[in-house]
C-alpha cells in the first residue's frame, strides 16, 4: 500500500488523540477489479472499478463512534474523525471498550500465497476469451439456461492500525468466477443453481475455470432426473454445500463470546461441553492457499492461527472478540471476522455406504428456509436435493420440506464421509448423515 | 455534489452512448442491546459510474473523483472495456426510445432527515430498547436499531437524460427475546419509509411498537405450532408483498425471463385468478412513502405503474432500455444500481397486489378451518416460482373466528399456482416490506405490499 495512505491513517489516529479520543482504530481497504460478465451466450459487459475506503473508530470518554469515507485527503479524514467523535459523544459510556494491545497485536507473518506478481503478465484480452469459451460450451447444451456468468480479477490491499501502536497490512490478488443458471427441458424449469471457483494466482486459470463450468453442466443435467420423495421421519444426508446452513451455523453462533456475554448461548454453562456427537472434530485454518478466506490477521489486528474449535464432539472454549473478552475476563481469540477456513474432519464411511445405510434418505444439497438462532429449530425447502430408497436413486425432488433442530442434529450424527470436499472455496467438509429430521413430500 | 450541467458538458463531446451517474450517499446506523450501544456508525461514499455502449458492447468504469479529468479518464476506461470483445458471438444492442428525465426531484423527507440530530436518533434507539425490556419480566433481551440512507444522484446521458434526485430512506427495527420455564422465543418488528423522521414513526407497523413487540413475544411463549398441510388462509399485506416481490417479481425481471424463468413466454396467459391485479411502481401515491419511490431510474427513464398481472393474465415484464427494445415494448424504468461503482441491473421498486372490494372482517368470517397469516419474516423464491416464507406467528381461524395464536409457520408452494386460488381480496391495503434489502448480486431498497387475500397454500408446522 502506498505510503501516502499509511500516512493518512497515522494522521487519523494522531488527529483523533489530539481531539481528545483515548483510542482510535483506522482501517484502509484499497483495490481494483476487472469484472467480465456474460449472459446467455455473449459477453454482456466489462466493468472496471477502483476503490478506497477509510474506516475510523474512536473511543471517546469510554464511548464508541465509527465513521467512514472514500475521499482520500487530509480534510476528509479529519471530517470522518470528527464525525466519529460526534457520534461517540451521544452514545452510552461502556467501560469494556478495548483496543488490541501491542502484545496481542504483534506483526503477523505474511502469507506469500496471497499475492502473485505474475498477474501482470496476463493480457486483459484473455479474460473475455475465457468467458466466451465458457458461455459457448454451456450454451451448446440445450438443457442449460444461463442467467449470468462472471470472471473477476482483483487486487486488494488492507492496512490496520490503532492508537496502541498495532499495525498490520496484507495485500492479495485473486480471480473468482461463477455461473448461475437452471435446467430446462420442454416446459420444465428447475430451480436456480450455481457453481463458483477461486484462485489467488493465475496458474492454470483457464483449466480451473472450465472445470467449474463442466461441473456446473453435469450438475444442471442431473437436475432433470426428477423424482418424488416420500414423507418420513429419520435420517438426512447433508452435503458439504449444506453443512454451514443446517449443521454448523447455529451451534457456532452459540460458541461466540458475544452470545455468552448476552446470555443468549445454550453452551454458556460449559465451555468444554459435549454438544456434538463424539465423531465431530472441527478446526479453523486461516493460512490455506486453496481457501478464499485466508488471512494473516483478524478484523481487530490480532494474528490468526490454526485453531481447534470442536474436538471429539466437545467445544474447545468460546470465541471472544476484544469486547467480549474484556467483559468476561478472557483473552481475545483472534477470530474476529472469522472463521476463515473451516475443516470438518472426515470420518470412516464412504458416501455410497452412507447412502445405502438407510431405507429412505433425502440428500439435501441446499436449504431454503428459516432457522431460529435461539431455539435451533429450522424449517424449509430442500433445493437441488435427491431422494434414495434402499440405496437406489429415485430422482431430484421438488417442493420437499425439511424440519428439525440444529442442536439435536449436532448430537445425532450417524456417519461421516471419509473424504473432504472444498465447499464454495471457503471450507472443507465431508457429507454428514444425521438423524432426527422430518421430511415432508409435496 | 456534482452539477448536472457540468456532467452534460462532458458527455456532449462523445458520439457513442454514454451514461454518467454521480451518486453520493450518507449513511448512519445505530444499534442498542442489553443496555449498551453495540454500534454507532456514520458513512460517506460517493463517485461517478460511467457506462458506455459502443459497437454493441457495454463497458463500465467508475471513479471516486469529481473533476473533469477524473471523469473523462473513467469514460476512456469504459470505452476501452467496450472494445475488448471482438467476437462473432456479439449480438446487436439497441436502446428503446424514451422521454428521458430532465427534472430535479427532492423527496419530502430529505431536508427533515438531513437536519435531524444524531443525538435524537441515537437516544431514541437507546430509549426504545430500555422500554421494551421494562415491559415484562419475561423479556430477557431486547434490541433496537435505526439506519438511514440519504442519497443524492445525478443521471446524465448523451441522448438526453439530465436529472437529479434527493431521497431519504430511514428504517427502524425492534426485537425481544422472551423466556419462561425453559421456553424461549424471539419476535421482531421493522419498518422503513421513503421520507423523514416523523414519517417513519407514522408507519402503521410502528404504532405502539414497544407494547406490541413485548406482548407478542410473551404471548408466543405459550403458542403451539400449526398443523401442517394445504390450508385455506388469509395472507396479510406483508406476506402478500413477499409473494409479489420474491415469488413473482423476480421471475418477471426481463433479464431473468431471457435466462428462462417460469414467466418466460407467458405474456397473455392466465397466471392467477381474475381477482388478481399486480403491479410494480416507481411513484406510488396512496401513502407517498413507499421505499421504492424513485422519479426516474438509473438510465433516466421516468418511472410509472407497470401492470404485471391484469385480471389474472400476465401483462408485462420489467425492463431496462435494452430489453425493452428486444421485446418491442416501452421501457418500464426498472434499471437501478446500488451505488456509483455498480452497473445498473433490472430491479423492482414497489411491488404490490391491487386492493379489492372485500373487508377483512368478512374474509375471516368466511373461513371454517384455516389461518390468518401474519408475522412475515424472510422469504426466498426460485426461478421456477417455488417459494418458502417464514412467519413468526399466525392466527388459527375456526368457524369464522380468530381463535388461537400459533407460532413459527412456514409457507411454501408455487407462486402462480397459489395466485390461481385467490378468491377474496380486501379493500384494506398496506405497504409493509420497506425495511431490509433485496439482493441480486448487489443490494436494492424496495418496498412491497398489498391487501389481505384469501387463497390456498401449504402451511408447514412443527417437525
Amino acid at each position: 500500500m502506498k505510503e501516502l495512505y499509511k500516512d493518512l491513517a497515522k494522521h487519523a489516529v494522531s488527529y483523533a488523540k489530539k481531539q481528545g479520543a483515548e483510542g482510535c482504530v483506522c482501517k484502509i481497504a484499497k483495490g481494483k477489479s476487472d469484472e467480465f460478465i456474460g449472459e446467455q451466450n455473449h459477453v454482456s459487459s466489462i466493468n472496471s472499478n477502483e476503490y478506497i475506503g477509510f474506516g475510523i473508530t474512536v473511543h471517546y470518554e469510554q464511548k464508541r463512534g465509527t465513521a467512514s469515507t472514500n475521499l482520500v485527503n487530509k480534510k476528509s479524514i479529519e471530517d470522518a474523525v470528527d464525525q466519529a467523535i460526534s457520534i461517540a459523544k451521544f452514545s452510552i459510556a461502556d467501560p469494556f471498550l478495548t483496543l488490541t494491545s501491542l502484545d496481542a497485536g504483534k506483526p503477523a507473518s505474511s502469507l506469500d500465497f496471497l499475492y502473485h506478481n505474475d498477474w501482470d503478465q496476463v493480457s486483459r484480452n484473455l479474460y473475455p476469451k475465457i468467458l466466451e469459451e465458457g458461455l459457448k460450451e454451456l450454451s451448446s447444451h440445450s438443457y442449460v439456461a444461463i442467467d449470468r456468468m462472471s470472471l473477476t480479477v482483483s487486487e486488494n490491499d488492507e492496512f490496520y492500525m490503532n492508537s496502541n501502536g498495532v499495525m498490520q497490512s496484507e495485500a492479495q490478488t485473486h480471480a473468482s468466477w461463477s455461473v448461475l443458471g437452471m435446467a430446462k427441458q420442454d416446459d420444465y424449469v428447475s430451480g436456480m443453481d450455481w457453481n463458483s471457483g477461486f484462485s489467488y494466482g493465475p496458474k492454470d486459470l483457464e483449466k480451473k475455470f472450465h472445470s467449474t463450468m463442466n461441473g456446473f453442466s453435469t450438475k444442471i443435467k442431473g437436475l432433470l432426473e426428477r423424482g418424488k420423495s416420500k414423507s418420513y421421519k429419520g435420517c438426512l444426508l447433508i452435503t458439504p454445500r449444506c453443512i454451514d446452513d443446517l449443521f454448523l451455523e447455529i451451534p457456532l453462533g452459540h460458541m461466540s463470546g458475544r452470545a455468552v456475554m448476552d446470555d443468549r448461548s445454550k453452551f454458556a454453562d460449559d465451555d468444554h461441553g459435549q454438544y456434538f456427537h463424539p465423531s465431530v472434530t472441527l478446526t479453523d485454518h486461516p493460512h490455506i492457499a486453496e481457501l478464499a478466506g485466508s488471512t494473516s490477521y483478524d478484523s481487530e489486528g490480532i494474528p490468526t492461527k490454526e485453531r481447534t474449535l470442536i474436538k471429539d464432539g466437545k467445544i474447545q472454549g468460546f470465541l471472544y472478540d476484544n469486547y467480549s473478552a474484556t467483559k468476561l475476563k478472557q483473552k481475545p481469540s483472534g477470530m474476529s471476522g472469522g472463521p476463515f477456513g473451516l475443516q470438518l474432519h472426515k470420518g470412516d464411511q464412504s458416501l455410497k455406504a452412507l447412502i445405502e445405510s438407510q431405507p429412505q434418505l433425502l440428500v439435501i444439497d441446499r436449504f431454503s428456509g428459516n432457522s431460529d438462532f435461539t431455539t435451533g429449530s429450522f424449517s424449509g425447502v430442500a433445493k437441488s436435493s435427491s431422494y434414495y430408497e434402499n440405496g437406489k436413486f429415485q430422482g431430484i425432488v421438488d417442493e420437499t420440506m425439511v424440519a428439525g433442530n440444529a442442536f439435536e442434529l449436532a448430537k445425532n450424527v450417524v456417519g461421516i464421509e471419509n473424504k473432504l470436499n472444498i465447499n464454495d472455496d471457503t471450507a472443507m467438509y465431508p457429507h454428514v448423515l444425521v438423524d432426527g429430521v422430518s421430511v415432508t413430500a409435496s | 455534489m456534482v452539477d448536472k450541467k457540468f456532467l452534460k458538458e462532458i458527455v456532449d463531446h462523445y458520439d457513442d452512448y454514454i451514461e454518467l451517474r454521480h451518486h453520493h450517499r450518507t449513511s448512519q446506523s445505530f444499534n442498542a442491546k442489553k443496555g449498551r450501544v453495540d454500534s454507532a456508525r456514520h458513512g460517506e461514499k460517493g463517485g461517478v459510474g460511467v457506462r458506455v455502449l459502443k459497437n454493441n458492447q457495454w463497458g463500465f468504469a467508475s471513479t471516486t473523483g469529481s473533476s473533469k479529468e477524473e471523469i473523462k479518464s473513467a469514460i476512456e476506461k469504459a470505452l476501452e472495456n467496450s472494445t475488448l470483445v471482438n467476437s462473432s458471438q456479439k449480438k446487436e444492442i439497441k436502446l428503446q426510445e424514451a422521454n428521458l428525465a430532465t427534472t430535479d426531484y427532492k423527496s419530502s423527507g430529505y431536508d427533515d432527515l438531513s437536519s435531524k440530530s444524531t443525538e435524537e436518533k441515537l437516544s431514541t434507539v437507546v430509549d426504545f430498547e430500555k422500554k421494551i425490556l421494562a415491559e415484562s419480566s419475561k423479556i430477557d433481551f431486547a434490541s433496537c436499531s435505526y439506519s438511514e440512507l440519504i442519497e443524492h444522484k445525478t443521471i446524465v446521458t448523451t441522448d438526453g437524460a439530465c436529472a437529479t434526485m434527493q431521497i431519504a430512506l430511514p428504517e427502524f427495527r425492534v426485537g425481544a427475546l422472551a423466556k419462561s420455564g425453559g421456553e424461549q422465543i424471539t419476535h421482531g418488528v421493522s419498518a422503513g419509509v421513503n421520507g423523514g423522521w416523523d414519517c417513519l414513526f407514522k408507519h402503521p407497523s410502528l404504532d405502539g411498537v414497544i407494547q406490541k413487540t413485548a406482548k407478542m413475544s410473551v404471548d408466543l411463549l405459550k403458542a403451539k405450532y400449526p398443523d401442517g398441510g394445504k390450508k385455506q388462509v388469509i395472507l396479510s399485506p406483508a406476506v402478500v408483498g413477499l409473494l409479489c416481490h420474491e415469488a413473482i417479481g423476480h421471475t418477471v425481471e426481463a433479464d431473468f425471463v431471457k435466462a428462462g424463468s417460469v414467466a418466460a413466454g407467458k405474456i397473455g396467459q392466465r397466471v392467477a385468478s381474475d381477482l388478481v391485479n399486480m403491479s410494480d411502481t416507481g411513484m406510488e401515491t396512496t401513502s407517498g412513502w413507499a421505499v421504492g419511490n424513485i422519479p426516474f431510474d438509473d438510465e433516466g427513464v421516468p418511472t410509472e405503474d407497470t401492470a404485471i398481472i391484469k385480471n389474472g393474465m400476465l401483462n408485462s415484464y420489467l425492463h431496462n432500455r435494452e430489453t425493452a427494445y428486444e421485446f418491442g415494448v416501452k421501457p418500464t424504468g426498472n434499471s437501478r444500481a446500488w451505488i456509483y461503482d455498480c452497473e445498473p441491473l433490472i430491479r423492482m421498486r414497489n411491488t404490490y397486489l391491487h386492493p379489492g372490494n372485500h373487508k377483512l372482517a368478512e374474509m375471516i368470517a368466511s373461513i371454517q378451518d384455516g389461518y390468518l397469516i401474519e408475522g412475515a419474516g424472510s422469504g426466498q423464491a426460485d426461478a421456477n416460482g417455488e417459494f418458502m416464507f417464514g412467519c413468526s406467528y399466525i392466527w388459527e381461524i375456526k368457524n369464522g373466528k380468530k381463535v388461537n395464536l400459533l407460532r413459527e409457520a412456514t409457507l411454501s408452494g408455487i407462486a402462480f399456482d397459489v395466485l390461481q386460488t385467490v378468491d377474496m381480496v380486501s379493500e384494506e391495503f398496506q405497504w409493509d416490506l420497506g425495511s431490509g434489502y433485496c439482493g441480486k448480486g448487489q443490494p436494492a431498497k424496495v418496498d412491497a405490499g398489498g391487501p389481505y387475500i384469501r387463497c390456498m397454500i401449504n402451511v408447514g408446522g412443527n417437525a
Side-chain angles (χ1 to χ4, degrees):
Chain A
M1 180 171 289
K2 273 189 199 170
E3 286 308 310
L4 162 69
Y5 302 125
K6 288 185 181 177
D7 288 343
L8 281 172
K10 288 172 190 170
H11 176 69
V13 172
S14 71
Y15 179 78
K17 295 206 91 171
K18 219 182 339 177
Q19 299 301 96
E22 64 259 21
C24 178
V25 176
C26 182
K27 293 184 191 177
I28 308 173
K30 182 183 170 304
K32 58 182 181 182
S33 66
D34 276 334
E35 185 184 18
F36 302 85
I37 299 167
E39 291 174 350
Q40 288 87 61
N41 63 353
H42 63 279
V43 176
S44 58
S45 184
I46 298 171
N47 305 345
S48 297
N49 284 306
E50 292 196 28
Y51 68 89
I52 183 158
F54 280 77
I56 292 157
T57 297
V58 299
H59 293 172
Y60 185 92
E61 295 173 356
Q62 289 191 323
K63 303 171 192 173
R64 179 171 54 199
T66 300
S68 63
T69 179
N70 70 335
L71 298 173
V72 183
N73 58 67
K74 227 173 176 179
K75 169 90 177 47
S76 297
I77 300 298
E78 288 177 3
D79 286 347
V81 171
D82 289 336
Q83 193 65 246
I85 290 175
S86 161
I87 287 179
K89 278 180 179 166
F90 300 123
S91 188
I92 300 175
D94 189 337
F96 301 109
L97 292 179
T98 322
L99 296 183
T100 301
S101 66
L102 256 185
D103 190 53
K106 290 188 168 66
S109 306
S110 72
L111 302 176
D112 295 336
F113 63 81
L114 288 178
Y115 192 92
H116 290 251
N117 286 312
D118 46 354
W119 282 107
D120 293 340
Q121 292 155 30
V122 181
S123 161
R124 275 185 98 218
N125 292 321
L126 177 64
Y127 304 123
K129 285 202 177 85
I130 293 175
L131 199 74
E132 278 191 308
E133 280 162 19
L135 287 164
K136 197 172 170 186
E137 167 60 27
L138 282 183
S139 316
S140 68
H141 303 295
S142 60
Y143 54 82
V144 177
I146 303 168
D147 178 52
R148 190 172 166 102
M149 183 187 287
S150 71
L151 168 61
T152 305
V153 181
S154 310
E155 182 177 331
N156 308 307
D157 220 334
E158 291 185 355
F159 180 68
Y160 171 103
M161 77 172 289
N162 72 21
S163 48
N164 288 339
V166 174
M167 271 200 271
Q168 308 283 13
S169 66
E170 189 168 85
Q172 189 191 105
T173 55
H174 69 262
S176 57
W177 53 91
S178 65
V179 58
L180 177 70
M182 49 235 179
K184 58 174 187 177
Q185 190 174 59
D186 303 322
D187 281 342
Y188 173 70
V189 173
S190 75
M192 275 288 198
D193 213 323
W194 64 86
N195 256 22
S196 63
F198 173 90
S199 178
Y200 288 112
K203 186 167 180 263
D204 296 328
L205 174 66
E206 273 185 87
K207 197 168 145 198
K208 290 175 186 172
F209 180 91
H210 290 301
S211 169
T212 301
M213 299 308 152
N214 289 336
F216 181 72
S217 169
T218 306
K219 182 193 300 191
I220 286 293
K221 194 171 187 195
L223 294 182
L224 292 173
E225 297 179 50
R226 301 167 64 198
K228 284 255 171 229
S229 64
K230 290 182 186 152
S231 299
Y232 71 92
K233 284 194 189 213
C235 285
L236 185 74
L237 184 63
I238 307 175
T239 68
R241 212 171 171 197
C242 208
I243 289 286
D244 281 326
D245 281 345
L246 284 190
F247 193 68
L248 288 180
E249 187 177 345
I250 289 181
L252 281 180
H254 283 250
M255 284 171 63
S256 89
R258 290 262 176 168
V260 173
M261 158 187 110
D262 286 342
D263 296 322
R264 295 202 65 195
S265 171
K266 271 191 174 326
F267 303 161
D269 289 340
D270 186 354
D271 66 354
H272 277 70
Q274 186 84 44
Y275 300 116
F276 286 81
H277 189 271
S279 60
V280 175
T281 293
L282 181 74
T283 43
D284 188 44
H285 299 264
H287 306 156
I288 292 199
E290 286 75 25
L291 298 184
S294 294
T295 180
S296 58
Y297 59 92
D298 77 352
S299 64
E300 293 184 323
I302 298 174
T304 53
K305 58 183 183 189
E306 186 179 312
R307 189 188 173 110
T308 301
L309 306 183
I310 301 166
K311 188 170 165 52
D312 302 326
K314 292 185 181 177
I315 64 170
Q316 302 296 294
F318 300 124
L319 305 174
Y320 301 103
D321 61 355
N322 271 326
Y323 184 86
S324 56
T326 305
K327 195 153 189 188
L328 297 172
K329 298 187 173 66
Q330 301 289 332
K331 281 168 79 167
S333 307
M335 281 189 67
S336 281
F340 307 106
L342 286 177
Q343 179 184 330
L344 185 60
H345 289 213
K346 58 189 178 186
D348 57 6
Q349 295 189 56
S350 69
L351 179 58
K352 188 165 177 287
L354 291 174
I355 290 173
E356 288 174 351
S357 70
Q358 304 299 316
Q360 287 180 287
L361 185 65
L362 183 71
V363 179
I364 185 165
D365 194 52
R366 284 191 297 123
F367 172 71
S368 171
N370 289 297
S371 309
D372 187 298
F373 176 82
T374 302
T375 63
S377 62
F378 62 84
S379 178
V381 177
K383 312 288 282 185
S384 302
S385 300
S386 43
Y387 177 67
Y388 290 78
E389 279 185 345
N390 297 311
K392 284 197 169 52
F393 176 67
Q394 304 296 309
I396 300 291
V397 297
D398 290 328
E399 295 186 73
T400 299
M401 301 277 288
V402 294
N405 186 287
F407 297 115
E408 287 172 19
L409 293 197
K411 289 188 170 159
N412 295 341
V413 174
V414 174
I416 299 181
E417 187 192 7
N418 56 6
K419 182 177 156 246
L420 289 182
N421 308 273
I422 292 185
N423 174 54
D424 273 350
D425 308 303
T426 57
M428 292 180 286
Y429 297 143
H431 286 73
V432 177
L433 184 67
V434 294
D435 199 358
V437 173
S438 276
V439 174
T440 310
S442 61
Chain B
M1 306 305 148
V2 171
D3 187 77
K4 65 181 184 181
K5 290 190 189 122
F6 169 71
L7 294 181
K8 182 130 177 43
E9 276 165 19
I10 297 175
V11 300
D12 280 348
H13 290 286
Y14 294 89
D15 297 324
D16 301 295
Y17 176 82
I18 308 236
E19 179 188 285
L20 298 184
R21 176 171 31 94
H22 175 259
H23 190 168
H24 182 269
R25 170 180 292 147
T26 306
S27 60
Q28 286 199 330
S29 65
F30 311 116
N31 174 262
K33 52 170 98 153
K34 279 281 201 184
R36 67 176 186 266
V37 173
D38 226 26
S39 73
R41 296 173 187 275
H42 175 96
E44 300 255 356
K45 189 168 180 181
V48 178
V50 179
R51 202 168 63 133
V52 309
L53 179 61
K54 185 183 175 79
N55 296 336
N56 295 312
Q57 184 65 53
W58 288 107
F60 182 91
S62 67
T63 175
T64 54
S66 53
S67 71
K68 192 187 244 186
E69 293 68 35
E70 286 164 315
I71 295 172
K72 285 178 88 167
S73 173
I75 293 174
E76 292 308 315
K77 186 73 185 178
L79 285 167
E80 181 197 324
N81 284 347
S82 70
T83 61
L84 274 183
V85 180
N86 285 312
S87 133
S88 56
Q89 281 173 236
K90 267 204 240 185
K91 63 176 191 109
E92 191 184 33
I93 298 176
K94 281 193 170 2
L95 302 184
Q96 188 61 284
E97 297 288 323
N99 288 329
L100 299 171
T102 54
T103 49
D104 300 312
Y105 171 84
K106 187 194 277 191
S107 72
S108 58
Y110 184 89
D111 288 334
D112 169 57
L113 203 64
S114 303
S115 60
K116 204 77 181 169
S117 72
T118 300
E119 184 177 12
E120 182 169 357
K121 293 169 191 169
L122 187 40
S123 64
T124 301
V125 168
V126 170
D127 187 48
F128 270 54
E129 190 260 335
K130 277 198 191 116
K131 284 180 172 161
I132 292 171
L133 208 52
E135 276 289 308
S136 166
S137 58
K138 290 183 180 161
I139 305 287
D140 190 66
F141 180 94
S143 67
C144 182
S145 62
Y146 168 79
S147 61
E148 70 182 32
L149 302 176
I150 296 180
E151 320 232 302
H152 186 142
K153 198 184 286 192
T154 305
I155 309 284
V156 167
T157 67
T158 42
D159 62 352
C162 189
T164 67
M165 75 166 98
Q166 293 170 272
I167 55 176
L169 305 171
E171 64 181 71
F172 202 78
R173 286 174 190 273
V174 297
L177 168 71
K179 267 187 187 174
S180 175
E183 192 70 51
Q184 52 185 356
I185 195 153
T186 52
H187 175 66
V189 171
S190 63
V193 300
N194 182 328
W197 182 258
D198 289 341
C199 177
L200 176 64
F201 286 96
K202 284 189 180 128
H203 191 292
S205 293
L206 297 186
D207 181 31
V209 69
I210 292 169
Q211 295 77 18
K212 276 194 323 205
T213 303
K215 182 176 187 315
M216 180 56 76
S217 59
V218 171
D219 288 349
L220 282 171
L221 283 171
K222 298 184 296 267
K224 294 188 176 145
Y225 292 94
D227 291 330
K230 197 148 194 166
K231 294 286 195 179
Q232 190 174 49
V233 301
I234 298 170
L235 303 182
S236 66
V239 180
V240 169
L242 261 185
L243 195 66
C244 287
H245 178 92
E246 294 288 355
I248 299 154
H250 282 299
T251 67
V252 298
E253 288 168 339
D255 50 349
F256 207 18
V257 171
K258 282 166 59 179
S261 82
V262 70
K266 288 197 164 71
I267 295 284
Q269 292 183 26
R270 179 164 292 285
V271 294
S273 85
D274 55 15
L275 292 182
V276 173
N277 293 281
M278 180 182 145
S279 296
D280 180 79
T281 179
M283 285 306 275
E284 64 85 18
T285 51
T286 48
S287 70
W289 45 253
V291 167
N293 277 352
I294 46 172
F296 50 86
D297 73 359
D298 289 339
E299 291 181 322
V301 174
T303 59
E304 52 186 50
D305 192 278
T306 305
I308 297 170
I309 299 175
K310 265 186 179 172
N311 303 320
M313 312 297 275
L314 190 64
N315 181 67
S316 173
Y317 301 129
L318 303 176
H319 290 283
N320 58 21
R321 292 180 68 188
E322 180 185 346
T323 60
Y325 185 86
E326 278 182 60
F327 283 73
V329 297
K330 270 175 61 181
T332 54
N334 284 92
S335 181
R336 303 178 65 193
W338 172 238
I339 189 71
Y340 72 93
D341 59 5
C342 296
E343 55 158 351
L345 303 176
I346 297 175
R347 309 302 298 269
M348 286 173 268
R349 303 152 310 184
N350 304 308
T351 321
Y352 68 103
L353 234 59
H354 293 229
N357 299 318
H358 295 102
K359 292 198 186 307
L360 175 60
E362 114 192 51
M363 291 167 71
I364 293 173
S366 73
I367 291 184
Q368 296 307 302
D369 178 20
Y371 300 116
L372 169 61
I373 309 286
E374 294 186 326
S378 58
Q380 296 167 47
D382 215 328
N384 53 6
E386 186 178 61
F387 66 88
M388 209 293 304
F389 303 145
C391 300
S392 59
Y393 68 94
I394 67 176
W395 294 94
E396 188 175 25
I397 299 175
K398 286 278 192 216
N399 302 318
K401 288 187 173 24
K402 244 169 74 169
V403 290
N404 295 315
L405 178 67
L406 303 172
R407 70 200 290 195
E408 292 174 26
T410 55
L411 309 179
S412 66
I414 304 287
F416 288 136
D417 290 350
V418 170
L419 287 189
Q420 302 264 16
T421 69
V422 173
D423 57 6
M424 287 177 100
V425 178
S426 80
E427 59 187 28
E428 293 95 336
F429 178 93
Q430 186 168 308
W431 293 107
D432 212 359
L433 276 188
S435 59
Y437 299 82
C438 170
K440 185 177 164 177
Q442 44 175 286
K445 290 297 290 178
V446 297
D447 213 326
Y452 291 87
I453 64 173
R454 191 178 82 168
C455 62
M456 299 295 293
I457 208 164
N458 290 327
V459 178
N462 196 6

